[in-house]
Structure formats: C-alpha cells, structure tokens
Amino acid sequence: MPTPVALQTREEIAVVPAGGAEAPCCVPAHGQDTLAATEAEALASRFKALADPNRLRILSIVSSSPEAETCVCDLSEPLGLGQPTVSHHLKIMVEAGLLNREKRGVWAYYSLVPGALDSLAATLAPKD
Amino acid sequence: MPTPVALQTREEIAVVPAGGAEAPCCVPAHGQDTLAATEAEALASRFKALADPNRLRILSIVSSSPEAETCVCDLSEPLGLGQPTVSHHLKIMVEAGLLNREKRGVWAYYSLVPGALDSLAATLAPKD
C-alpha cells in the first residue's frame, strides 16, 4: 500500500519564482511546502476509485459485513446491478488498493485492505 | 455544506432478499445498514472533485498558505498550468463545497471551506 501523504505534508517541489509578466497581487510566493506532482497523481487515483456511488456502496456493504468480507454473489442484489458491472467496480477498487480479493471455490470474497481508508482519511485531515 | 455521511452510517435501503437464481454462497444477506443510494451520489461527487492531481495540489497550496487563502494569480506558476485551466479546477472545487471564493479588486481569493475536508475524512474513517 502506498505511504499516506497528507495534503499538508511538507514536500519539496520546484517552484519558479513569480516573474513580472503579471502584477503581483497580494501574498508572498508559496508552494515550496506543498504536495509534489507525483504524489498528487497517486493520491488522485485512489480518490478516483472512490468517486463513484456504486463503489462507495460496495465499500459500505463490505465494511458493514459482520464477517468483514463479502461474497461477490451478495452484491448484485442490494446494488441492483448486474454481475459484470459489480465485477468491474470491484476490480477498480482492488487495483486502487482499497479491497482485497480472495478466491474460494467458485466465488471471490472481498474485504477492506486494513488501513487503506484510514490512510486516505489522514491525507484529508492530518492529525499533526 | 452537505452533512457528513460515514460509509458505515446506518441508513435504511430497500434490500430484496437473495432469490434462488444463483446458489447462495456463504453468508447471511446484509446491506440493510449500508450507505443509501442518494447519499452515495452526493459523497461520490465530492470525491470526484478530489480525483485530480492538479486539484489536490491546489488544495495543498491553499491549505499551506500562511494567510489561509490564495490568490488565483499565485496558482498558475507553481502548478505550471494556464490561468483558464486553473480557473476550471477552482470552479469544480467551489461547486463541490471544498473551496470558498472571494473577489477583491481584480483578483479572486480562495480559502478552504472550514470542516469540508474533515467531514470527508470522517466518512472514510468514522470515529464511532
């Protein structure tokens, strides 16, 4: 799983000092301590996996399951979606590192990757 | 600002008990206590606003600004983007309730909507 990166994390990025093309408006140049481009890419791809109502509902079902895992066969019905659509959404969340997939017999079972959602939450609301 | 909705929030949704079309695989039906479709839509639209590396970098710059606000004129340079692109991303984040916009003179100034990121974080990692 990728290391959590807080939006406020201190990361060096190359900043070109503001030139004279536009009149400076207001505040000293900033940006030296902000999210680097490569980290922003990685973080954005994980938020993209959450940016779909059906995927959020799948995560909710999996996380509220008493067994801490959910059979792919138990998702179509509550979501009102066909199996291929459910599988498509599950694949995206596995690739994003949000869900684990375990095949047992004819069915695949999905569980939350431990710490994945907490890690994303920490990038939005760092504790320090 | 929309009320935060935890992924584990207890919300009633209509669940049709699993029928006999597919052999039941494993666990009791669940889903009664999961995220409702309408709330999933609202939440997904906010994550969609975060699902872009440039928007994450803008949020990072705004949140790390000593003045707690950033002039639109100070974003193009560190992001390496043209003003129209920056304005497009800013508009999406204002509409998603993540940023406030205040016009003063010829420039617009952007600040974080208080609590907006914390509220989203709470949906990923509820404390209760």
Side-chain angles (χ1 to χ4, degrees), chain A residues 6-10 13-19 22-31 33-37 39-41 43-45 47-54 56-57 59-67 69-78 83 107 109 112 117-118 120-127, chain B residues 6-10 13-19 22-31 33-37 39-41 43-45 47-54 56-57 59-67 69-78 83 107 109 112 117-118 120-127:
Chain A
L7 288 181
Q8 284 91 327
T9 290
R10 303 298 167 212
I13 60 168
V15 177
V16 182
E22 266 187 306
C25 69
C26 39
V27 297
H30 48 250
D33 296 333
T34 57
L35 196 64
E39 286 160 328
E41 289 278 355
L43 197 50
S45 73
F47 283 121
K48 199 169 179 179
L50 293 176
D52 178 277
N54 288 315
L56 288 173
R57 294 183 71 201
L59 278 184
S60 175
I61 291 172
V62 172
S63 68
S64 66
S65 159
E67 298 78 15
E69 68 172 9
T70 303
C71 177
V72 63
C73 62
D74 284 332
L75 288 167
S76 282
E77 200 90 38
Q83 197 69 60
W107 299 110
Y109 295 77
L112 290 183
L117 293 181
D118 292 286
L120 265 185
T123 66
L124 297 178
K127 287 177 185 68
Chain B
L7 288 181
Q8 284 93 328
T9 289
R10 303 300 167 212
I13 60 169
V15 177
V16 182
E22 265 188 304
C25 68
C26 42
V27 296
H30 48 253
D33 295 334
T34 57
L35 195 64
E39 286 160 328
E41 289 277 356
L43 197 50
S45 73
F47 283 121
K48 199 169 180 181
L50 294 176
D52 178 278
N54 287 315
L56 289 173
R57 294 183 71 202
L59 278 184
S60 175
I61 291 172
V62 172
S63 68
S64 67
S65 158
E67 298 78 14
E69 68 171 11
T70 303
C71 176
V72 62
C73 61
D74 283 332
L75 289 167
S76 283
E77 198 90 39
Q83 198 68 58
W107 298 109
Y109 294 77
L112 290 184
L117 293 181
D118 292 285
L120 265 184
T123 66
L124 296 177
K127 286 175 185 74

